[in-house]
Amino acid sequence: MTATEWVIIILLSVGTFFSLSAGIGLIRFPDVYSRLHATGKNATASVILIMTSTFVYFLYEHDLFIGKLLLTILFVFLTTPVAALLISRSAYRIGIPMSKKSVRDEMKPYYDNEKASPAKNE
């Protein structure tokens, strides 16, 4: 096997591991916040690694430069963490409770201040 094939195998293996971890985290974690953390981080890493290995495969094995794969990597890298953040903030704002196992609520001071101060609609 060539070094390129080893790079492809390693990228696919690590990407598969992250994807599997995201699935397990989605099933096992107790609340929406920890589930979003697991899926946001691991799914982003897995898609980036798998798309990179696909890009390397087609580039070195078939001499094809597929820019759509690079755009997919960029799009996933930019949108998935932002989507996870916005979903978790929305869940917090509508009052979805955290797990009883959670040790601290770092967002509470920010949203307490927001509720206490009057809205500025000027």
Side-chain angles (χ1 to χ4, degrees), residues 4 6 13 18-19 34 43 49 51 61-62 64-66 68 71-72 75 82 94 96 99 101 118-119:
T4 306
W6 278 108
S13 300
F18 279 125
S19 184
S34 55
L49 289 169
M51 287 296 136
E61 298 294 327
H62 298 289
L64 291 171
F65 180 87
I66 302 176
K68 290 180 183 178
L71 288 174
T72 302
F75 182 73
V82 173
I94 64 172
I96 295 178
S99 171
K101 296 177 184 177

Side-chain angles (χ1 to χ4, degrees), residues 55-67:
F55 177 77
V56 170
Y57 172 76
F58 280 109
L59 185 64
Y60 287 105
E61 298 294 327
H62 298 289
D63 292 327
L64 291 171
F65 180 87
I66 302 176

Side-chain angles (χ1 to χ4, degrees), residues 66-118:
I66 302 176
K68 290 180 183 178
L69 291 174
L70 295 177
L71 288 174
T72 302
I73 292 169
L74 179 68
F75 182 73
V76 167
F77 180 73
L78 293 175
T79 58
T80 304
V82 173
L85 171 74
L86 293 176
I87 292 169
S88 63
R89 289 180 86 186
S90 297
Y92 191 86
R93 284 185 171 197
I94 64 172
I96 295 178
M98 297 176 73
S99 171
K100 304 248 188 270
K101 296 177 184 177
S102 297
V103 292
R104 86 180 149 222
D105 183 2
E106 293 181 0
M107 294 302 293
K108 188 171 174 49
Y110 297 107
Y111 286 106
D112 285 345
N113 291 338
E114 183 179 284
K115 290 177 186 176
S117 65

